[in-house]
Amino acid sequence: MTAKLIDGKALSASLKRKIQEEIKAKMAQNIQPPGLAVILVGEDPASMIYVRNKRIACEEVGIRSFYHGLPANTSEEELIKLIQNLNEDKNVHGILLQSPLPKHIDADKLFECIHPNKDVDGFHPYNLGRLAQRRPLLRPCTPYGVMMLLDHIKQQYKGSHAVVVGASNIVGRPMALELLIAGATVTICHRFTADLAPYVREADILVSAVGKAGLIKGEWIKPNATVIDVGQIRLPNGTLTGDVTFESAKEKAAWITPVPGGVGPMTVAVLLQNTLVAANNFKK
């Protein structure tokens, strides 16, 4: 048995076309297009690539991108003032603060400064709280993108055991909440989990979001499981790999996401969708 690939590129392209069509229709009615402010502090090479790709994606669908590139020594106070100004700017419907931030800046404090209605990353405690209460508004991009991938393959949630490996505020915790809302029985594994293998072996749905190459061994995968690999690790030779040992895992799984081309494209597409949702809510 060889697992079927879950094509994130194709699904994200379809979502972006829908977003583009909606924006075009609104502009034909003289409705202002959505605006996304992107803040990058410093010159981290990976972050610069991510920001460039997000800005290109905005242009593709008709979202206006407002770029703010700041030096690495920018103070917390300066950054807070910029965010406050963007909160008040009626041309800006979404604010994206690219992480990681320099060590002298409290990331949690800065994310909380972004107005919840413009929090297109879905990191603000208000939006995470709404998700926890099963009343989501702006949802964290990667977990919501994973749910779209699972819905696309008509994944059965109720009666299924979902195991999430990784408990970050960005992916792991909101991922568990998304799966709970869908009706799955959810287990979260993290760095203090004594023995990871037994949990993975029981997973009908496995989502790994750690960022450690080869963390999940193929022989651990439950036959016919769905495997979602959120990890993206760049190897010394320049290639990207995930948390899961792909070649051996695909021999046991029913469905599996490739790295690259699986979850990554969906994260960007959901960011665009969140920006459109924020703009629509702003007009209301």
Side-chain angles (χ1 to χ4, degrees), residues 21 48 59 79 92 129 132-133 159 163 177 181 205 212 262 267:
E21 289 168 4
M48 293 176 73
E59 293 172 7
L79 200 47
V92 173
Q133 292 182 339
V163 174
L177 292 172
I181 291 172
I205 305 167
K212 184 176 180 180
T267 299

Side-chain angles (χ1 to χ4, degrees), residues 39-40 44 47 50 96-101 107 111 123 170:
I39 305 171
L40 175 63
D44 177 74
S47 293
Y50 292 145
L96 186 152
L97 179 59
Q98 182 65 39
S99 58
L101 293 167
F111 286 129
F123 295 163
I170 294 173

Side-chain angles (χ1 to χ4, degrees), residues 49-252:
I49 293 171
Y50 292 145
V51 165
R52 183 191 66 193
N53 291 341
K54 290 169 183 175
R55 296 183 67 199
I56 291 172
C58 284
E59 293 172 7
E60 288 175 350
V61 301
I63 292 174
R64 292 187 296 173
S65 173
F66 304 100
Y67 176 65
H68 298 269
L70 305 175
N73 63 355
T74 300
S75 70
E76 225 177 55
E77 291 72 22
E78 290 173 309
L79 200 47
I80 290 171
K81 185 175 180 180
L82 171 61
I83 291 172
Q84 289 172 339
N85 290 337
L86 294 173
N87 283 337
E88 298 297 323
D89 190 336
K90 294 183 179 180
N91 293 312
V92 173
H93 305 101
I95 302 172
L96 186 152
L97 179 59
Q98 182 65 39
S99 58
L101 293 167
K103 292 182 179 180
H104 69 278
I105 294 175
D106 183 342
D108 290 337
K109 178 180 177 181
L110 269 294
F111 286 129
E112 200 163 345
C113 287
I114 297 171
H115 194 287
N117 292 348
K118 296 190 177 187
D119 169 39
V120 289
D121 266 329
F123 295 163
H124 194 284
Y126 175 80
N127 284 318
L128 287 173
R130 294 280 306 214
L131 183 64
Q133 292 182 339
R134 297 179 291 181
R135 298 187 297 143
L137 289 175
L138 293 173
R139 302 156 87 147
C141 297
T142 298
Y144 194 24
V146 169
M147 295 307 295
M148 290 182 180
L149 291 172
L150 292 172
D151 289 345
H152 180 67
I153 64 169
K154 297 180 171 56
Q155 177 67 51
Q156 175 68 37
Y157 301 106
K158 295 174 182 176
S160 294
H161 182 195
V163 174
V164 178
V165 183
S168 73
N169 290 335
I170 294 173
V171 182
R173 293 171 190 264
M175 186 74 253
L177 292 172
E178 289 280 6
L179 289 162
L180 278 173
I181 291 172
T185 299
V186 182
T187 297
I188 306 176
C189 299
H190 43 75
R191 59 182 175 147
F192 299 117
T193 301
D195 187 1
L196 184 58
Y199 296 98
V200 174
R201 289 191 174 102
E202 294 299 318
D204 301 301
I205 305 167
L206 174 69
V207 182
S208 185
V210 177
K212 184 176 180 180
L215 175 68
I216 308 295
K217 310 303 179 188
E219 58 267 26
W220 298 352
I221 303 299
K222 184 177 181 179
N224 293 313
T226 298
V227 178
I228 306 292
D229 193 347
V230 182
Q232 290 198 30
I233 307 99
R234 192 166 296 279
L235 298 176
N237 62 8
T239 61
L240 279 177
T241 188
D243 293 343
V244 180
T245 53
F246 181 81
E247 292 301 326
S248 55
K250 74 177 183 179
E251 298 304 319
K252 297 189 72 175

Side-chain angles (χ1 to χ4, degrees), residues 5-19 144-154 228 257 261-270 273:
L5 295 184
I6 308 175
D7 191 344
K9 285 185 178 180
L11 189 58
S12 67
S14 175
L15 178 57
K16 286 194 284 188
R17 282 194 296 271
K18 292 177 183 177
I19 295 168
Y144 194 24
V146 169
M147 295 307 295
M148 290 182 180
L149 291 172
L150 292 172
D151 289 345
H152 180 67
I153 64 169
K154 297 180 171 56
I228 306 292
T257 56
V263 176
M266 291 304 300
T267 299
V268 176
V270 173
Q273 177 172 282

